Amino acid sequence: MSKRHAMIVAVGVLASASALAQTETRGQAGPRPAAAAGTVPAAANPAHAAAPKAAAPASTAESRSAAALALTHEPTYDEGSAQRIKDAALSYSDLAVRGGWPTIPADAKFGAGVQGANDDLLRKRLILSGDLAADKTSGAFDQDLADAVKRFQARHGLAPTGTMTPRTIAAMNVSVQKRIRQLEASLQRLENMNFDFGQRYVVVNIPAAFAEAVENDVVVRRYRVIVGKTEKPSPTLTAQITSVVLNPTWTVPSSIAKTEISAHMRKDPTYLSRMHMEVLDAHDNPIDPHAVDWSGTHTPNFTVRQHNGTFNALGAVKIDMPNAYSVYMHDTNQRNLFSDDYRFDSHGCSRVDNVRDLAAWLLKDQPKWSRAAIDAEIASGQHLEVAMAKKVPVAWIYFTAWMTKDQTVQFRNDVYNQDEQLLEATAEEAAFFSNAGSHPLTAHMHVMQ
């Protein structure tokens, strides 16, 4: 048995298959939680752990990305991620052996300054997960307890309000065994990745719906992103960012042309003209839309392209990163969606909040392309592709659980329901090779070794 399978089996013995509550919202990474001896993570120091402040509603791209960055400068993904996830899994496994954490009644009531029937139970729950200092075992719902709730909420992608909302209770009641399985799944994905970390790189963590620009092992930019719908999930991949396209056109994928565009055209023959789109043949020559079969019963033998402009679905910026899935990062003309907690609404590409800021960071070693120059070029309305002087590595990852360098363990919802699928496939693979070793046809091979 490989070391990889050995770890999965060892930790998996402790991990039951209880379902992850689907009520958590996705959100940003959080600050270091407090921890006491014997809690998770053991290395954190409650005396120095500040609870996150609940930010005022962010109304602009700049304020949203600034608020996201203020929470932590620790990367979600770096060269030490695998070892830290292993450490977190072992710590949570130890906690599972000791009985895990208690369940908070779904109808429990908590009020600031008021002694409640479940306050001490909540304190025990937060002490065991390292969000509350070990000596805070009893008392009414005070500021210390509210701060601990904020720490927990930030680590689970919930708004750090300090209030015990139904979503917060649901997240607290996810079993330690399920959290272990999330850590296992993230580790499995890491072992199958081959990413060339550079001095600068970009990471999109799909379950968290955030992108990070990392420089010298520090997150210097963080942005909200909109990623694929559950029925059209964004892929995991590694690639190189090769160019920044200003005022891009949008070539509609054939799958969208076959289904959505065709459906619109059947209902409204003026749809293409209203959306500033044209139909092109294989040689990019215009075709009369009225001569096209919009029945949607076959794969289109034409291309639909949307002109650049404020109406364009890609917005004002496209970040090109050639890959096998033909996905990329881009702006959008529906920027109001970035204010939502649930940001799984694309066809697979990643829409980036405050994307002009990311473009300026990507082009920072090309003095000609300052943020002001980018804005001016966009204002001109001219389509322009700016090649990167030095390509920047980019990784789209699917981490529902990870631990950052400051020992903060983070969890997010398994929005695509991929964790259990991955672990089941791994378990089947391990069982296959284990059984093959004792099969009469292969047993002689072990004797010969």
Side-chain angles (χ1 to χ4, degrees):
M1 183 182 296
S2 69
K3 291 181 180 178
R4 173 167 65 92
H5 291 151
M7 178 184 176
I8 291 167
V9 172
V11 179
V13 169
L14 303 169
S16 65
S18 61
L20 173 62
Q22 295 295 318
T23 54
E24 292 178 61
T25 57
R26 271 59 58 183
Q28 54 268 35
R32 169 191 289 184
T39 61
V40 180
N45 185 345
H48 301 289
K53 295 180 180 180
S59 58
T60 67
E62 289 76 14
S63 61
R64 287 190 293 266
S65 55
L69 182 61
L71 289 167
T72 178
H73 289 271
E74 299 290 348
T76 297
Y77 178 39
D78 60 32
E79 292 180 289
S81 291
Q83 184 57 54
R84 290 196 303 272
I85 292 174
K86 288 179 183 178
D87 293 342
L90 291 173
S91 295
Y92 273 71
S93 297
D94 180 63
L95 182 56
V97 168
R98 293 186 282 114
W101 44 63
T103 298
I104 308 298
D107 59 353
K109 304 298 181 184
F110 300 93
V114 179
Q115 183 72 53
N118 294 290
D119 287 354
D120 289 353
L121 185 67
L122 175 60
R123 288 176 178 274
K124 181 179 180 181
R125 168 65 181 85
L126 292 169
I127 288 171
L128 285 169
S129 60
D131 297 292
L132 180 65
D135 59 350
K136 307 292 184 180
T137 56
S138 61
F141 199 105
D142 57 11
Q143 190 59 49
D144 287 336
L145 190 53
D147 287 345
V149 172
K150 290 179 183 179
R151 293 184 187 100
F152 176 89
Q153 289 169 327
R155 294 193 304 107
H156 293 75
L158 301 165
T161 62
T163 302
M164 287 295 290
T165 63
R167 285 172 173 167
T168 302
I169 293 176
M172 287 188 179
N173 288 339
V174 174
S175 69
V176 67
Q177 290 86 359
K178 183 65 181 182
R179 297 306 190 194
I180 292 169
R181 291 183 70 80
Q182 288 184 263
L183 288 161
E184 288 179 359
S186 292
L187 183 61
Q188 281 283 72
R189 294 186 178 95
L190 267 178
E191 292 184 345
N192 292 321
M193 288 183 66
N194 182 22
F195 184 56
D196 182 20
F197 292 97
Q199 180 185 3
R200 297 200 302 153
Y201 63 94
V202 174
V203 171
V204 174
N205 187 13
I206 297 166
F210 272 87
E212 295 174 349
V214 183
E215 190 166 3
N216 297 321
D217 299 321
V218 174
V219 178
V220 294
R221 303 281 195 281
R222 183 176 286 111
Y223 310 97
R224 290 180 169 226
V225 296
I226 296 168
V227 290
K229 303 175 182 180
T230 54
E231 65 272 24
K232 297 177 181 178
S234 293
T236 56
L237 58 85
T238 60
Q240 299 275 333
I241 294 173
T242 58
S243 65
V244 174
V245 184
L246 307 179
N247 297 315
T249 59
W250 178 41
T251 300
V252 181
S254 60
S255 59
I256 297 178
K258 179 180 178 180
T259 55
E260 299 180 29
I261 300 295
S262 293
H264 283 300
M265 286 297 290
R266 290 195 297 272
K267 295 178 182 178
D268 177 13
T270 68
Y271 176 79
L272 285 180
S273 60
R274 288 193 298 103
M275 298 303 292
H276 305 273
M277 292 177 171
E278 61 180 343
V279 184
L280 307 171
D281 65 17
H283 302 288
D284 273 1
N285 297 313
I287 300 175
D288 181 358
H290 298 93
V292 172
D293 176 7
W294 297 109
S295 66
T297 57
H298 56 78
T299 301
N301 59 353
F302 55 83
T303 297
V304 176
R305 184 172 298 156
Q306 187 178 41
H307 301 299
N308 60 290
T310 57
F311 44 80
N312 189 279
L314 304 188
V317 179
K318 174 187 175 184
I319 296 173
D320 220 354
M321 38 178 282
N323 60 84
Y325 303 96
S326 299
V327 293
Y328 40 84
M329 304 170 73
H330 64 90
D331 188 16
T332 177
N333 56 11
Q334 295 179 298
R335 297 187 180 94
N336 59 299
L337 297 178
F338 290 116
S339 297
D340 294 343
D341 286 326
Y342 188 86
R343 298 191 298 280
F344 301 86
D345 195 45
S346 81
H347 286 78
C349 287
S350 174
R351 308 175 198 168
V352 184
D353 197 15
N354 202 15
V355 70
R356 297 189 191 193
D357 184 70
L358 176 58
W361 180 80
L362 289 169
L363 298 172
K364 64 181 292 186
D365 56 352
Q366 297 171 245
K368 176 183 177 181
W369 290 109
S370 64
R371 172 60 189 271
I374 291 171
D375 288 342
E377 188 65 34
I378 290 172
S380 76
Q382 296 300 307
H383 173 90
L384 180 66
E385 181 172 340
V386 183
M388 299 285 294
K390 183 178 181 181
K391 297 176 183 178
V392 173
V394 57
W396 290 16
I397 61 176
Y398 194 90
F399 282 6
T400 62
W402 69 97
M403 184 166 74
T404 49
K405 287 182 288 187
D406 61 359
Q407 306 298 302
T408 301
V409 185
Q410 298 271 349
F411 294 101
R412 296 295 184 273
N413 196 24
D414 181 13
V415 66
Y416 294 160
N417 194 30
Q418 292 182 355
D419 283 355
E420 289 300 326
Q421 296 175 31
L422 174 65
L423 294 175
E424 287 172 6
T426 303
E428 290 176 1
E429 179 187 0
F432 172 81
F433 285 108
S434 177
N435 293 335
S438 59
H439 193 280
L441 294 177
T442 58
H444 70 280
M445 297 176 63
H446 296 277
V447 175
M448 295 173 62
Q449 290 178 351

